[in-house]
Amino acid sequence: QVQLVESGGGSVQAGESLRLSCAVSDRPGRVYDLGWYRRAPGKEREVVAIISWTGDRIIYADSVKGRFTVSRDNTKKTVTLQMNRLKAEDTAIYYCYADTQQGAWGPGIQVTVSS
C-alpha cells in the first residue's frame, strides 16, 4: 500500500554533494521508520541510514557517519538524505525504504561519484 519514489540522484565529482529525496504515499494514521539503503556494483544491498517516526532515533552506517544526514517531514511525507563529501565508494543505486509490516521499497536511483 505504501508507495515510495526517489529523486535527486546524478553524477558528481568526489568531494561534492548530492541530496536525495523520497516521496511517501500512504493513508493517514500509519507510523513507521523510514530509511535509505544502497547497492554498489557487485555488492550486497546495505543500510545507509534509518530514522524513526519522530526523528529521535537515527542510525548511520559507519562508512557514512559525519558525511550523510537523514531527515524526514511527516507533514510533507518525505524523507531526505543529504550526502556531503562524497567518495567514489558511495557509487551505488540508492533505495528508499519504509519499515512497514511487509516492508516497502522505492524503485531506486543512481548515484555516481567520480574520483
Side-chain angles (χ1 to χ4, degrees):
Q1 188 174 357
V2 178
Q3 302 290 325
L4 306 171
V5 181
E6 305 94 344
S7 63
S11 299
V12 298
Q13 295 290 316
E16 297 182 342
S17 300
L18 280 175
R19 179 180 294 177
L20 303 182
S21 294
C22 176
V24 182
S25 180
D26 193 16
R27 65 179 177 85
R30 289 162 59 91
V31 177
Y32 38 75
D33 292 354
L34 293 171
W36 294 89
Y37 288 71
R38 68 186 182 187
R39 188 188 298 277
K43 296 184 178 181
E44 299 293 322
R45 183 169 58 192
E46 64 176 352
V47 63
V48 176
I50 300 291
I51 182 170
S52 65
W53 183 76
T54 60
D56 63 332
R57 186 179 72 257
I58 299 174
I59 61 171
Y60 293 102
D62 288 341
S63 59
V64 307
K65 286 181 179 178
R67 299 189 298 119
F68 290 12
T69 302
V70 65
S71 60
R72 66 188 292 171
D73 187 326
N74 293 331
T75 299
K76 297 181 179 179
K77 297 182 179 180
T78 58
V79 58
T80 299
L81 184 68
Q82 177 67 44
M83 305 183 294
N84 297 327
R85 303 191 304 280
L86 284 161
K87 304 175 180 179
E89 54 262 41
D90 294 319
T91 295
I93 299 174
Y94 284 71
Y95 300 89
C96 184
Y97 173 74
D99 191 28
T100 60
Q101 282 188 308
Q102 296 180 315
W105 297 90
I109 191 165
Q110 180 69 46
V111 171
T112 301
V113 184
S114 301
S115 61

